[in-house]
Amino acid sequence: RPGRAGKAWRNRIRSRTVRKSNRKFRLKRRDGAYTVITPIGACQTYTPEQAWEIIEPVQVAVQRLLDGTADAGDYKRVGCAFNVAAVRAAQIDGNEPALCIFEAARHAMEHAEQIEQKHGKHGLTGIGREAVREAMEVYEMLIRESSPRQMYDAERELERQLSRKPHPEKETA
């Protein structure tokens, strides 16, 4: 029957919509499972355990970057974390010093990428090492003082900014 097929399709669409709308109220744990966060819980700051689950992988990646043993995954993890934190810092009024710290860390990460292209390993120079350490301290403070909802909004804003960024035009022959 045509009516039943339409209903099944409509129900499938509804179930996807519900799953998408609930995604923002979940917290991904280290084992990959999601725990449901209540709407009130999404507006409260992270518990120390939740904050540590978010901070620890980034801290390990930063340490590897400082030691010179980082791979591309560590580089990407640190870069993504600092980008989201920079967006979150920009959302807080009067937080220009944090933005300057993340800007210095961005330059250090770009320099680390140049070193990787020349020598095959991500590395940091003296000024870059200090900038990444400072950025990690600010990142930890932002995670501990922000709510899951605020960090979710910062991630979405970063995605919007990246999607609006103009793509370089291909050269024609």
Side-chain angles (χ1 to χ4, degrees), residues 5 26 29 46 52 110 116-117 129 149 156 163:
R26 298 181 196 173
R29 293 190 319 218
Y46 289 105
W52 181 246
E110 287 174 355
E116 193 271 334
Q117 290 174 358
R129 294 171 67 85
R149 179 60 194 211
R156 298 293 80 78
S163 68

Side-chain angles (χ1 to χ4, degrees), residues 14 21 28 31 36 39 50 59 63 69 74-75 77 85 89 93 108 115-116 119 125 129 135-136 143 152 156 161 171:
R14 285 181 187 152
S21 66
K28 190 172 185 180
D31 61 0
V36 176
Q50 289 172 331
Q59 203 171 48
Q63 190 58 45
T69 60
D74 293 329
Y75 177 82
R77 175 173 284 142
D93 290 334
I115 290 174
E116 193 271 334
H119 303 291
T125 57
R129 294 171 67 85
M136 186 63 203
I143 292 294
Y152 173 81
R156 298 293 80 78
Q161 289 175 4
E171 293 183 23

Side-chain angles (χ1 to χ4, degrees), residues 7-67:
K7 243 183 207 180
W9 181 77
R10 212 172 22 244
N11 289 339
R12 204 171 330 137
I13 296 285
R14 285 181 187 152
S15 68
R16 285 185 190 153
T17 306
V18 170
R19 274 187 268 142
K20 281 184 180 179
S21 66
N22 286 338
R23 187 179 307 153
K24 61 187 167 194
F25 295 113
R26 298 181 196 173
L27 180 69
K28 190 172 185 180
R29 293 190 319 218
R30 182 171 255 183
D31 61 0
Y34 284 94
T35 57
V36 176
I37 299 175
T38 62
I40 293 174
C43 297
Q44 297 173 345
T45 59
Y46 289 105
T47 64
E49 295 81 21
Q50 289 172 331
W52 181 246
E53 285 181 7
I54 296 168
I55 293 169
E56 184 187 24
V58 178
Q59 203 171 48
V60 168
V62 165
Q63 190 58 45
R64 287 184 187 154
L65 195 60
L66 294 173
D67 293 342

Side-chain angles (χ1 to χ4, degrees), residues 117-136:
Q117 290 174 358
K118 289 179 185 174
H119 303 291
K121 291 172 72 173
H122 289 94
L124 294 169
T125 57
I127 297 171
R129 294 171 67 85
E130 194 58 39
V132 169
R133 279 192 191 110
E134 287 179 8
M136 186 63 203

